[in-house]
């Protein structure tokens, strides 16, 4: 019993020692110091640090969050130089400095495409650490959760026209059109590198298997190419104060010169023409601003807003007016350069670019036009006439579509590149003309159009699309490759 009481007394003493604070004493200098406590009263010193290390470990494994494009540096505009190859109508891409802001536009609701986009983003992060990845808001969460670094989201805090240097698309022709449509209110479109991963590949230039080569060649375009040196020499003749570009060195280019296929190689660009439209109500007032506001709200802050108060609407494929869900046919008056051309009674009317000649216009019976032919097409949609055939006009032709009063007050649907923009009432005019593409004068840079980065000058993607996708002049009942040519 005495031994048990002694043990209980010692345990009680230890319990009191933990609860009673250590006594203090004041030294000669007036500094308060704690009196040394017995060893039994000491607390485990590792309890708190262990808790902190666990918290830090959890914080370090938390996925990064997306950031706004407002944090990115301003956009870098490339130059487009004439190719040195005789007879070539392509342009040479030439960056004044390495591109830094890359917008990824992907086919929606396609998990395999999303996996490819994630693989591409990781490659860019690993090999090109100075390049920032920008994504659309609708796919930001799906992309961000698979990456160990933060991506930037195109939001309302900044205009993508002021931030994005280059666009990469992953999908079919619809994905390329959607990327170009982000700039339908803006006159300047960044270069587009398109990877064919969709149903159609007429606008898709690259196979995804070549994504490293495609990006490397585009990224290095401008580091040191003969066309750039020649252009600088010519401009120096006009402006003697111009600094030679050869003396400029950028870390991104210097890092990749040993890995590229030759620093004097540059990407070739096919500059696709666009058409633009201005809308006027029956009183002759422009209503472009109303349509542009509607498009900006539909685009979830990804539409490149224009600094113009009432910007024109631009299309890379076509501008269409259609009867929509109404059972009656649409009645539209067509004017060409101020002269009355015809009145059409049809399901609708198409004003197409050469690029769009192989899209809706082709399905409606229109001709096939090479994308570099400066022209626009007028194609009726199921007209009530056997003599109304598609017309090919010069690019600078001014075409007016006037909604006839015989439509009896009903709206017709106005669509740009297949997407409905608004309804147009009788008396409304849609004034269409080709967007200027080229140089404004000697020594000026190329501007306008949609610059598409192609594989090489030796391969003609237009001919390949005609033969491989449209089966141009494919004979009936047999395969030309298996035909016996012995006769």
């Amino acid at each position: 019993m005495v031994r048990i009481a002694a043990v209980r007394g010692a345990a009680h003493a230890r319990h009191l020692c933990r609860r009673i604070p250590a006594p203090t004493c004041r030294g000669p200098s007036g500094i308060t110091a704690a009196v040394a406590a017995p060893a039994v009263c000491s607390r485990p010193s590792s309890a708190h640090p262990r808790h902190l290390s666990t918290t830090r470990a959890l914080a370090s494994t938390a996925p990064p969050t997306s950031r706004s494009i407002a944090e990115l540096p301003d956009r870098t505009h490339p130059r487009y130089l004439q190719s040195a190859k005789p007879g070539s109508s392509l342009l040479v891409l030439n960056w004044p400095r390495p591109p830094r802001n890359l917008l990824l536009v992907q086919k929606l609701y396609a998990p395999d495409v999303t996996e490819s986009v994630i693989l591409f983003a990781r490659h860019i992060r690993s090999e090109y650490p100075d390049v920032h990845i920008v994504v659309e808001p609708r796919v930001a969460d799906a992309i961000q959760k698979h990456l160990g670094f933060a991506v930037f989201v195109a939001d309302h805090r900044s205009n993508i026209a002021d931030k994005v240097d280059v666009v990469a698309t992953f999908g079919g022709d619809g994905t390329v059109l959607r990327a170009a449509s982000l700039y339908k209110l803006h006159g300047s479109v960044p270069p587009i590198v398109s990877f064919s991963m969709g149903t159609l590949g007429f606008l898709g230039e690259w196979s995804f298997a070549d994504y490293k080569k495609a990006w490397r060649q585009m990224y290095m375009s401008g580091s040191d190419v003969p066309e750039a040196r020649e252009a600088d020499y010519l401009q120096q003749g006009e402006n003697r104060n111009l600094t030679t570009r050869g003396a400029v060195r950028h870390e991104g280019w210097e890092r990749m010169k040993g890995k590229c296929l030759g620093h004097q190689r540059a990407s070739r660009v096919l500059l696709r023409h666009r058409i633009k439209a201005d809308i006027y109500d029956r009183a002759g007032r422009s209503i472009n601003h109303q349509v542009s506001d509607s498009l900006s709200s539909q685009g979830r802050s990804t539409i490149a807003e224009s600094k113009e108060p009432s910007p024109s609407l631009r299309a890379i494929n076509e501008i269409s007016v259609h009867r929509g869900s109404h059972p009656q046919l649409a009645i539209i008056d067509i004017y060409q350069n101020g002269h009355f051309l015809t009145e059409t009674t049809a399901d609708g009317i198409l004003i197409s670019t050469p690029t769009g000649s192989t899209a809706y216009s082709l399905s409606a019976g229109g001709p096939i036009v090479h994308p570099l032919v400066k022209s626009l097409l007028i194609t009726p949609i199921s007209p009530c006439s056997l003599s109304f055939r598609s017309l090919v006009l010069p690019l600078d032709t001014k075409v007016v579509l006037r909604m006839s009063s015989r439509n009896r007050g009903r709206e017709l649907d106005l669509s740009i590149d297949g997407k409905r923009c608004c309804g147009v009432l009788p008396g409304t005019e849609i004034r269409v003309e080709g967007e200027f593409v080229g140089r404004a004068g000697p020594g000026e840079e190329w501007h306008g159009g949609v610059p598409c980065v192609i594989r090489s000058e030796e391969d003609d993607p237009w001919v390949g699309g005609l033969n491989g996708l449209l089966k141009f002049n494919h004979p009936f009942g047999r395969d030309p490759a298996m035909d016996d040519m012995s006769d």
Side-chain angles (χ1 to χ4, degrees):
M1 294 295 292
V2 176
R3 183 178 300 172
I4 294 175
V7 172
R8 288 179 178 175
H12 182 64
R14 285 195 299 270
H15 177 70
L16 290 177
C17 185
R18 291 192 182 98
R19 296 183 61 185
I20 298 174
T24 59
C25 64
R26 187 171 302 274
S29 61
I31 300 177
T32 304
V35 177
V40 71
C41 298
S42 62
R43 296 175 181 267
S45 60
S46 60
H48 189 61
R50 186 183 299 118
H51 175 71
L52 283 178
S53 61
T54 304
T55 304
R56 289 170 182 162
L58 292 175
S60 63
T61 57
T65 57
S66 302
R67 300 163 63 181
S68 171
I69 60 170
E71 305 176 31
L72 294 176
D74 290 339
R75 174 182 173 183
T76 300
H77 292 264
R79 307 163 69 195
Y80 299 102
L81 310 175
Q82 195 67 48
S83 175
K85 184 176 180 180
S88 175
S89 55
L90 300 177
L91 300 177
V92 177
L93 178 64
N94 183 254
W95 294 102
R97 55 159 299 150
R100 296 171 293 180
N101 304 329
L102 165 65
L103 173 63
L104 305 182
V105 179
Q106 69 172 88
K107 181 180 181 181
L108 303 176
Y109 314 111
D112 55 334
V113 175
T114 301
E115 293 178 1
S116 299
V117 172
I118 293 171
L119 178 63
F120 182 80
R122 288 173 176 168
H123 171 71
I124 297 299
R125 178 68 173 184
S126 173
E127 298 294 330
Y128 307 85
D130 298 333
V131 176
H132 308 102
I133 303 296
V134 183
V135 297
E136 298 177 277
R138 68 183 80 184
V139 299
D141 293 338
I143 298 296
Q144 182 65 87
K145 67 181 181 181
H146 293 287
L147 299 176
F149 57 91
V151 297
F152 294 83
V153 179
D155 54 21
H156 66 279
R157 293 177 54 189
S158 186
N159 191 349
I160 64 170
D162 299 329
K163 297 296 181 180
V164 173
D165 299 336
V166 62
V167 181
T169 65
F170 304 81
D173 291 353
T175 307
V176 179
L177 292 178
R178 185 157 60 85
S181 70
L182 298 178
Y183 294 84
K184 67 176 60 176
L185 302 179
H186 207 274
S188 178
V189 183
I192 297 179
V193 182
S194 55
F195 296 100
S196 181
M197 304 178 67
T199 306
L200 290 177
F202 209 88
L203 299 179
E205 298 289 345
W206 294 85
S207 168
F208 184 72
D210 299 326
Y211 71 93
K212 294 182 180 180
K213 173 184 175 182
W215 173 261
R216 180 176 59 234
Q217 184 172 304
M218 189 282 307
Y219 181 84
M220 295 296 294
S221 296
S223 58
D224 187 16
V225 294
E227 291 85 357
R229 293 196 297 269
E230 181 179 355
D232 287 332
Y233 176 78
L234 294 176
Q235 287 190 14
Q236 283 180 350
E238 301 175 2
N239 182 7
R240 297 182 179 180
N241 296 324
L242 184 65
T243 303
T244 304
R245 294 178 69 255
V248 180
R249 293 291 181 265
H250 295 282
E251 182 179 351
W253 282 339
E254 294 297 329
R255 185 189 308 113
M256 295 303 299
K257 277 189 176 181
K259 301 179 181 180
C260 69
L261 301 178
H263 62 274
Q264 292 188 347
R265 297 185 60 177
S267 293
R268 294 315 191 247
V269 170
L270 174 62
L271 200 58
R272 296 183 180 273
H273 302 287
R274 292 191 297 179
I275 53 178
K276 61 180 183 178
D278 296 283
I279 309 170
Y280 296 84
D281 63 14
R282 65 183 71 186
R285 295 168 301 197
S286 173
I287 58 174
N288 284 3
H289 60 283
Q290 300 178 14
V291 181
S292 62
D293 291 343
S294 174
L295 291 174
S296 298
S297 61
Q298 294 176 16
R300 299 181 184 180
S301 304
T302 55
I303 296 290
E305 299 176 0
S306 174
K307 294 179 174 62
E308 303 174 14
S310 189
S312 300
L313 309 176
R314 295 168 173 85
I316 186 176
N317 256 7
E318 75 276 317
I319 294 172
S320 67
V321 180
H322 196 273
R323 65 186 176 93
S325 60
H326 296 285
Q328 295 86 6
L329 296 178
I331 305 175
I332 304 170
D333 297 330
I334 304 176
Y335 295 81
Q336 181 250 348
N337 286 337
H339 302 284
F340 177 74
L341 179 64
T342 187
E343 176 193 75
T344 178
T345 302
D347 280 354
I349 200 78
L350 295 169
I351 309 295
S352 306
T353 66
T355 297
S357 68
T358 52
Y360 198 173
S361 177
L362 181 64
S363 300
I368 299 175
V369 181
H370 193 279
L372 290 178
V373 177
K374 296 183 178 181
S375 59
L376 55 83
L377 291 72
I378 301 178
T379 306
I381 305 173
S382 302
C384 262
S385 171
L386 295 179
S387 61
F388 192 174
R389 291 293 180 261
S390 182
L391 300 176
V392 181
L393 303 174
L395 185 64
D396 59 356
T397 302
K398 294 179 173 57
V399 177
V400 176
L401 305 179
R402 179 179 295 168
M403 308 304 111
S404 174
S405 58
R406 295 170 58 195
N407 287 302
R408 293 177 290 182
R410 58 192 172 93
E411 283 188 347
L412 303 179
D413 289 344
L414 170 63
S415 299
I416 295 181
D417 287 339
K419 185 174 182 180
R420 187 183 186 277
C421 296
C422 65
V424 288
L425 291 168
T428 302
E429 287 188 359
I430 304 173
R431 304 175 186 178
V432 183
E433 63 179 318
E435 180 185 41
F436 176 79
V437 176
R439 293 189 179 97
E444 297 288 335
E445 301 294 345
W446 285 77
H447 59 87
V450 178
C452 299
V453 179
I454 68 172
R455 291 186 296 273
S456 67
E457 209 155 11
E458 287 71 24
D459 298 330
D460 192 331
W462 187 73
V463 173
L466 286 183
N467 295 330
L469 296 174
L470 299 183
K471 308 298 181 185
F472 180 70
N473 196 29
H474 195 284
F476 296 110
R478 60 184 174 85
D479 188 349
M482 302 299 294
D483 189 24
D484 187 6
M485 304 298 292
S486 59
D487 294 341

